[in-house]
Amino acid sequence: MAAADTELANFVKEALMRGAARQEIASALLGAGWPEAQVRAALAGYAEMEFPVPVPVPRPRHYLSARDAFVYLVLFSTLGLSAYYLGSLIFQLIDVTFPDPALQTRGGFWGKDRIRWAVAVLVVSFPLYLYLAARTASEVAAESSRRASRVRKWLTYMTLFAAALVIIGDLVALIYQFLTGDLTIRVALKILTVAIISGAIFIYYLRSVSGDEAEA
């Protein structure tokens, strides 16, 4: 706990011990310039009950376990694999639908092999991601203290960061291809694919982070 928070908690405790009303304490602190959120949190740290001294309210804390670290690492790893190979699969389908004459000399073997590999990875990784995502969501809903998991927060923000970089790079590629006059239907569809996949991930986890902050 920071020194300012400790000072605030001690003041609230002392004021409650002297019989001051909670509204009076809040008004005094707000008048002194303390942020309303900190004032509410400090007052919520003591139970509203009749007792000779203020009774502190327990603050549940979730201590990170090796099991949580393992689950979240697998969760976000399967998300990355699913996103990458979904894009790869769509890229190959675009190449088949709109073939590039300059690349036809390579033959169709490598394209078909990439499609099979992408499908194989998605069949394993995507259902596993959905299962872990649903399981962790139910655990967080049942025990709100799990929202404080540091691994969960770090990996979520790292995912947001990676998705944001991909979106920015995608927009740069779109503008560059447009300026050079090389914006073909194949290129446009691939850029759109990257934008949809990365954008969906970014929006989903941004809402997750916003929900955690609102809950906190």
Side-chain angles (χ1 to χ4, degrees):
M1 183 181 292
D5 293 334
T6 302
E7 182 182 7
L8 179 59
N10 290 336
F11 173 84
V12 170
K13 180 180 179 180
E14 183 68 22
L16 290 172
M17 290 181 64
R18 293 174 179 265
R22 288 175 175 264
Q23 187 59 43
E24 294 177 344
I25 299 173
S27 299
L29 290 170
L30 293 173
W34 284 91
E36 183 178 355
Q38 284 185 266
V39 173
R40 289 201 308 266
L43 287 170
Y46 297 96
E48 296 188 41
M49 58 185 298
E50 295 294 333
F51 200 74
V53 295
V55 179
V57 175
R59 298 179 181 272
R61 294 187 179 184
H62 177 65
Y63 295 96
L64 181 64
S65 65
R67 177 257 183 195
D68 291 330
F70 170 77
V71 169
Y72 284 118
L73 284 171
V74 174
L75 170 68
F76 285 95
S77 296
T78 52
L79 172 62
L81 285 172
S82 300
Y84 178 83
Y85 281 99
L86 176 60
S88 176
L89 175 61
I90 296 175
F91 276 24
Q92 296 304 318
L93 295 178
I94 292 173
D95 288 338
V96 171
T97 307
F98 303 96
D100 186 352
L103 301 176
Q104 286 184 353
T105 56
R106 299 183 181 181
F109 174 76
W110 293 110
K112 293 180 180 178
D113 189 60
R114 291 192 187 99
I115 290 176
R116 295 190 191 99
W117 184 256
V119 171
V121 173
L122 287 172
V123 168
V124 175
S125 63
F126 190 59
L128 180 57
Y129 165 74
L130 292 178
Y131 168 74
L132 292 175
R135 180 172 177 175
T136 54
S138 63
E139 289 177 348
V140 169
E143 187 179 349
S144 60
S145 61
R146 288 183 176 271
R147 295 179 184 272
S149 170
R150 291 186 177 181
V151 168
R152 179 174 181 269
K153 287 184 176 181
W154 272 101
L155 291 177
T156 300
Y157 277 106
M158 288 176 65
T159 301
L160 284 172
F161 177 69
L165 287 182
V166 172
I167 293 172
I168 294 171
D170 198 45
L171 292 175
V172 171
L174 175 63
I175 296 172
Y176 176 80
Q177 295 291 340
F178 176 77
L179 293 176
T180 57
D182 295 330
L183 189 60
T184 62
I185 184 65
R186 294 174 67 255
V187 174
L189 288 175
K190 289 182 178 182
I191 291 175
L192 180 62
T193 297
V194 174
I196 292 175
I197 294 175
S198 57
I201 294 173
F202 184 85
I203 292 173
Y204 177 80
Y205 281 99
L206 182 63
R207 288 182 176 178
S208 177
V209 169
S210 300
D212 288 349
E213 293 178 351
E215 182 69 20

